[in-house]
Amino acid sequence: ACFSDFTEMMRALGYPRLISMENFHTPNFMLVSEVLLWLVKRYEPQTDIPPDVETEQDRVFFIKAVAQFMATKAHIKLNTKKLYQADGYAVKELLKITSVLYGAMNTKGVEGADLCEEDSSKFKFDLGSKIADLKAARQLASEITSKGATLYDLLGKEVELREARTESIARPLEINEAEKMMKVAIDCVREQVQKTKDMLNNVALDEASLEAKIEKRKLELERSQKRLQTLQSVRPAFMDEYEKIEEQLQKQYSIYLEKFRNLTYMEQLLDDHRRAEQEMFEETANMLRLMQSRLKEEEQHLLKSGNNDDSDVEIQEDEGSDSEVEDRQIPKQRAAPETLLQG
């Protein structure tokens, strides 16, 4: 019965979707948050409750904000735990808000049970337009209380003021004193008028002096402009010499550029030549090291072969041709480093 009342009230209030009992068999926080946000907007369209409910913290903040809003604005106490469950228990909490809105709609003479979905959308409970009236009423109430307090204080002094007023009224009016007071007032007014006239005269004098200064400055400006034009038209005497020296400077600069380029080119060639000599020196040093290592290996080989047995000597005699070839090659190899050193 509670759930059927909730669905009928939501349909009467103009909720755009159809809500069934199956939606709340399992926790459905998205639907609950959507319904809460719609009810809050229906209660006050100008609320700024954030609709983000993706994370757990956002959901908790959303539920707290809605509960606080309904408690302060509509005096409706909601159970935040049941709303966070988003199941059948949450429907009872939602029913508290819907019943208030439904009752407010019925007070205007509209029967929600007989209205269809299209007709129910026409009836909107809008409290946003009443906020300005509420503020104005509060301001008027504060003004009424302050003015009432001041009026009470003045009424408390009325006893003394009444006696002074009656005495002043009962006292006879003296024409001489009244005439004196009027003359004093007239003199004061005349003094003020004279002061204003003097100020106007001073303003006129200041205006005339300022105009004279402006004319003087204009004449000075015209003279300065004429002098400037004459100076611009006259050619200085040293301009011919300046132009000649400038031409010579251009020529000297071109010569300087040419010599600077040649100098940089020669320095580049010198660096390349030194680099090539360094490379050749390193190559010769490497060749000498290789030749020395080969000579040492051949000497060691000859020493080992001299210490062998007679059979080895015979074999070497048979192979004398090969040793002779090697002996011929050794002087050639020794002669090579000497030629390299000479080179």
Side-chain angles (χ1 to χ4, degrees):
C2 176
F3 190 82
S4 62
D5 294 338
F6 175 70
T7 55
E8 289 178 1
M9 288 180 183
M10 291 296 290
R11 190 182 298 111
L13 290 171
Y15 187 67
R17 289 177 55 185
L18 292 174
I19 300 173
S20 62
M21 191 173 182
E22 296 176 356
N23 297 127
F24 294 97
H25 282 315
T26 58
N28 191 354
F29 192 85
M30 298 302 292
L31 181 60
V32 172
S33 63
E34 184 180 352
V35 172
L36 279 173
L37 189 61
W38 186 83
L39 290 172
V40 169
K41 292 288 185 182
R42 191 68 184 271
Y43 193 86
E44 187 172 348
Q46 296 179 356
T47 54
D48 55 351
I49 295 174
D52 297 332
V53 291
E54 295 180 358
T55 61
E56 183 178 353
Q57 294 179 355
D58 294 337
R59 293 182 179 183
V60 172
F61 181 75
F62 176 77
I63 293 295
K64 286 182 178 180
V66 171
Q68 186 177 2
F69 173 78
M70 297 309 296
T72 54
K73 297 294 183 180
H75 302 288
I76 298 173
K77 187 177 180 181
L78 299 174
N79 193 341
T80 56
K81 292 182 180 179
K82 292 181 179 180
L83 286 174
Y84 191 79
Q85 290 176 3
D87 53 3
Y89 291 101
V91 177
K92 295 181 180 179
E93 303 299 323
L94 294 173
L95 189 61
K96 295 178 182 179
I97 306 171
T98 54
S99 60
V100 172
L101 295 175
Y102 186 73
M105 189 177 68
N106 286 332
T107 55
K108 292 183 178 181
V110 179
E111 295 180 357
D114 298 334
L115 292 175
C116 61
E117 295 179 358
E118 296 179 358
D119 295 335
S120 62
S121 62
K122 297 179 182 178
F123 300 99
K124 292 182 179 180
F125 188 68
D126 189 5
L127 293 178
S129 61
K130 303 295 182 181
I131 293 174
D133 298 338
L134 182 61
K135 291 180 179 179
R138 287 179 179 176
Q139 187 176 0
L140 289 173
S142 61
E143 289 178 359
I144 288 168
T145 53
S146 62
K147 288 182 179 180
T150 54
L151 182 62
Y152 179 78
D153 295 334
L154 293 173
L155 289 173
K157 298 176 182 179
E158 178 63 20
V159 178
E160 298 176 359
L161 295 174
R162 187 184 299 136
E163 293 178 357
R165 188 169 58 250
T166 52
E167 287 179 0
S168 61
I169 291 169
R171 188 175 60 186
L173 183 62
E174 294 181 359
I175 298 172
N176 295 326
E177 292 181 358
E179 187 177 358
K180 288 179 181 180
M181 294 299 293
M182 290 297 292
K183 285 181 179 180
V184 170
I186 290 167
D187 293 335
C188 291
V189 173
R190 284 177 179 176
E191 288 179 359
Q192 290 180 357
V193 170
Q194 188 64 33
K195 287 180 180 179
T196 52
K197 286 181 179 179
D198 294 337
M199 290 174 68
L200 289 173
N201 293 326
N202 292 329
V203 168
L205 293 173
D206 294 337
E207 186 178 358
S209 63
L210 289 172
E211 288 179 354
K213 288 180 180 179
I214 290 168
E215 291 294 332
K216 186 177 179 181
R217 294 302 174 95
K218 283 182 179 179
L219 293 172
E220 290 178 358
L221 179 61
E222 289 178 357
R223 286 196 296 269
S224 300
Q225 287 178 352
K226 288 179 181 179
R227 188 177 178 185
L228 179 62
Q229 290 176 0
T230 54
L231 291 172
Q232 288 177 351
S233 61
V234 173
R235 180 180 175 83
F238 60 85
M239 281 302 293
D240 297 333
E241 186 179 359
Y242 174 76
E243 289 176 355
K244 290 179 182 179
I245 293 170
E246 192 173 10
E247 290 177 359
Q248 292 177 3
L249 180 63
Q250 291 292 333
K251 291 178 182 178
Q252 293 294 330
Y253 183 70
S254 62
I255 294 167
Y256 166 74
L257 286 177
E258 186 177 357
K259 288 182 178 181
F260 184 76
R261 283 197 296 269
N262 293 331
L263 179 62
T264 53
Y265 178 68
M266 296 299 290
E267 288 177 353
Q268 178 101 19
L269 291 176
L270 182 61
D271 292 337
D272 294 339
H273 182 66
R274 286 176 180 173
R275 196 180 298 108
E277 286 183 350
Q278 184 68 25
E279 290 176 356
M280 289 175 66
F281 180 73
E282 290 177 356
E283 288 179 359
T284 55
N286 291 330
M287 290 294 291
L288 285 173
R289 291 194 197 94
L290 291 172
M291 294 302 293
Q292 287 176 1
S293 63
R294 286 180 184 176
L295 288 172
K296 287 180 181 180
E297 289 176 358
E298 288 177 359
E299 287 176 358
Q300 290 177 0
H301 182 66
L302 288 172
L303 290 171
K304 287 180 182 179
S305 63
N307 294 327
N308 287 335
D309 296 335
D310 295 337
S311 60
D312 294 334
V313 172
E314 290 176 359
I315 293 167
Q316 288 177 359
E317 289 177 354
D318 294 336
E319 296 176 355
S321 61
D322 296 335
S323 63
E324 290 175 357
V325 173
E326 290 177 356
D327 293 335
R328 291 174 184 174
Q329 291 177 355
I330 288 167
K332 290 180 181 179
Q333 292 174 353
R334 289 178 180 175
E338 294 176 357
T339 56
L340 290 170
L341 287 171
Q342 291 175 0

